[in-house]
Amino acid sequence: MDFSFSDEQQMLQDMLTRLVREHYTFEERDRVQRSEPGFSEAFQAQLAELGVLAMPIDEAHGGMGGSGVENLVVMQELGRGLCLEPFLESQILGGGLVKALGSESQREALLPALAAGELLLAVASDEPRTHYRPEWTETRAERVGDGWRLTGRKSVVIGGQAAHKILVVARTAGEPGERNGLSLFVVDPTAEGVQHRSYPTMAGPWACDLTFDGVTVSDDALLGQAGEAFAALDHQLGRAMAAQCAEAVGSMQQACELTLEYLKTREQFGKPIGRFQVLQHRMVDMTTELELATSMAILAACVADEPTSAERSRQLIAAQHVVKRAAQFIAEQAIQLHGGIGMTWEYSLAHHARHLVMLGHRFGDDDRHLKAYADLLEAS
């Protein structure tokens, strides 16, 4: 099979490679990570101007109608630069949920602004006790007049500290553990009753915890039919998992390049340490894991937009597990081969290593993925 990019996809990758290299140096990344809003608004504006933010959005709503492969191209390059902009959270996951559940008027109100870079979305699906399973959502939304009242808590909302709108998963019926009864609401983070606490995550991007204390929203804030959001949420989380695999591959590529360059230049006993065979073998092991992870990330990108099925779920879970395992292995080996300098905060490898380890916990840890994969096998 031919896994090479099309001419358009190759042009997109080349453009992003230059953009990240020239405008997103490690020093610049460190500066914006320490400042408000936790990412570079100037770089976000460049992404919008070049049409990158419009890539995942349908052409009918001002986007370019990109597929999972285009998302892979973008996320891979953003991963190489450790970019902090919430492309995955806002454009892929947030935009995908609006497309899947929103009415035509809601799509017209949100998607063109999202494609133009005028709107930032965040998705609040995780809670302290959901453990990667949205069906365990406890946040409630109750009917009040011609609107809804939200009460509950959300945790680790990536990009929520700067989002203009937050897509909140809340239960309008049923009990925690049931898939039926979940709904999605568009909430203004500045609305009365919304409390938030922002902080930087271990992986680099900022996040926030949200508390909804009787927050009232209009009926227009409900995306789709009440109680029927789980299927769309599950499908879009699969797309987000595929995009995260691509982001991890980009970061792994950079970690391998940094390690190889270090082995070529660091001298011991009068010669580069890369000439020692045992270190060559470890570098080969890193490259082998990278190639395997790259193949699985491509597989995930190719099936991400397919309709929900057991086979699609198995492939996405397998890709996430393999990429996570490779990411942790490469992070650990890169630090080992660098020695003490690999842990230095002023050196980008340390940040790649932290980023790679933490990515493996965003959409589910090993226990979660292996259990889900086993359940799918039994069901088949």
Side-chain angles (χ1 to χ4, degrees):
M1 297 180 67
D2 182 10
F3 292 109
S4 59
F5 292 143
S6 66
D7 291 341
E8 293 79 8
Q9 292 163 350
Q10 188 62 57
M11 289 174 60
L12 174 63
Q13 184 183 48
D14 293 342
M15 177 191 70
L16 283 168
T17 299
R18 291 193 301 271
L19 183 68
V20 171
R21 182 176 61 245
E22 295 172 4
H23 299 281
Y24 218 95
T25 63
F26 174 67
E27 292 73 21
E28 176 66 11
R29 189 244 188 206
D30 184 57
R31 184 188 68 79
V32 301
Q33 199 271 341
R34 297 170 185 267
S35 65
E36 294 290 343
F39 63 89
S40 172
E41 294 178 308
F43 189 75
Q44 180 81 351
Q46 287 180 303
L47 294 177
E49 182 179 353
L50 293 170
V52 177
L53 298 185
M55 191 61 63
I57 311 301
D58 282 351
E59 294 181 11
H61 298 102
M64 295 187 177
S67 67
V69 179
E70 279 74 30
N71 290 341
L72 176 143
V73 173
V74 175
M75 291 303 302
Q76 187 170 309
E77 295 309 312
L78 295 181
R80 286 179 66 92
L82 290 175
C83 297
L84 300 166
E85 288 61 42
F87 184 87
L88 186 157
E89 293 75 20
S90 183
Q91 311 306 115
I92 297 177
L93 184 54
L97 286 169
V98 172
K99 174 188 173 183
L101 291 172
S103 64
E104 188 56 35
S105 61
Q106 289 170 325
R107 294 173 186 171
E108 285 291 342
L110 298 173
L111 293 181
L114 190 64
E118 300 167 357
L119 175 69
L120 279 177
L121 296 177
V123 179
S125 60
D126 290 337
E127 297 182 3
R129 294 197 291 182
T130 55
H131 195 61
Y132 312 120
R133 301 180 65 180
E135 61 265 34
W136 287 95
T137 292
E138 297 179 347
T139 297
R140 289 278 177 178
E142 301 174 338
R143 265 292 188 186
V144 287
D146 59 350
W148 300 84
R149 182 172 60 220
L150 275 67
T151 304
R153 298 169 56 199
K154 295 294 178 180
S155 58
V156 198
V157 182
I158 303 294
Q161 82 290 345
H164 302 117
K165 299 289 184 182
I166 297 180
L167 306 184
V168 180
V169 179
R171 184 168 293 283
T172 53
E175 298 298 326
E178 298 178 6
R179 295 185 173 186
N180 293 330
L182 292 182
S183 302
L184 197 68
F185 295 88
V186 182
V187 178
D188 185 342
T190 64
E192 183 178 357
V194 180
Q195 304 173 25
H196 60 87
R197 180 179 67 89
S198 301
Y199 49 86
T201 64
M202 291 287 289
W206 280 64
C208 70
D209 294 340
L210 297 170
T211 301
F212 302 98
D213 186 10
V215 178
T216 302
V217 297
S218 67
D219 202 40
D220 292 339
L222 174 65
L223 289 178
Q225 298 296 316
E228 299 181 6
F230 179 83
L233 179 61
D234 185 58
H235 187 269
Q236 297 304 322
L237 285 173
R239 294 179 66 241
M241 284 171 55
Q244 183 183 255
C245 287
E247 180 183 8
V249 165
S251 186
M252 282 188 274
Q253 288 174 340
Q254 189 66 12
C256 285
E257 290 178 11
L258 289 169
T259 304
L260 182 59
E261 183 62 26
Y262 183 78
L263 295 181
K264 290 179 178 179
T265 56
R266 173 73 166 91
E267 292 192 358
Q268 188 70 29
F269 305 113
K271 60 182 178 180
I273 60 175
R275 294 181 63 183
F276 295 113
Q277 192 175 54
V278 65
L279 301 188
Q280 293 175 0
H281 288 171
R282 293 176 72 172
M283 190 70 231
V284 169
D285 290 341
M286 290 174 63
T287 304
T288 301
E289 289 292 327
L290 173 60
E291 289 300 317
L292 179 58
T294 301
S295 299
M296 295 302 289
I298 293 172
L299 172 64
C302 290
V303 303
D305 294 328
E306 291 182 359
T308 300
S309 66
E311 182 61 23
R312 172 184 181 268
S313 297
R314 281 197 296 268
Q315 290 173 335
L316 288 173
I317 291 171
Q320 181 79 356
H321 176 68
V322 171
V323 170
K324 177 188 181 300
R325 184 190 65 185
Q328 182 165 343
F329 177 83
I330 287 175
E332 293 172 351
Q333 291 297 312
I335 289 177
Q336 286 288 320
L337 291 174
H338 273 81
I341 194 175
M343 296 294 292
T344 305
W345 187 258
E346 291 77 12
Y347 184 40
S348 63
L349 178 71
H351 297 262
H352 278 286
R354 287 158 56 98
H355 184 64
L356 287 171
V357 171
M358 295 311 299
L359 278 181
H361 299 276
R362 174 72 195 282
F363 296 113
D365 55 20
D366 278 342
D367 291 341
R368 163 67 176 143
H369 289 310
L370 292 174
K371 176 65 166 60
Y373 193 86
D375 290 344
L376 288 167
L377 287 178
E378 290 181 1
S380 63

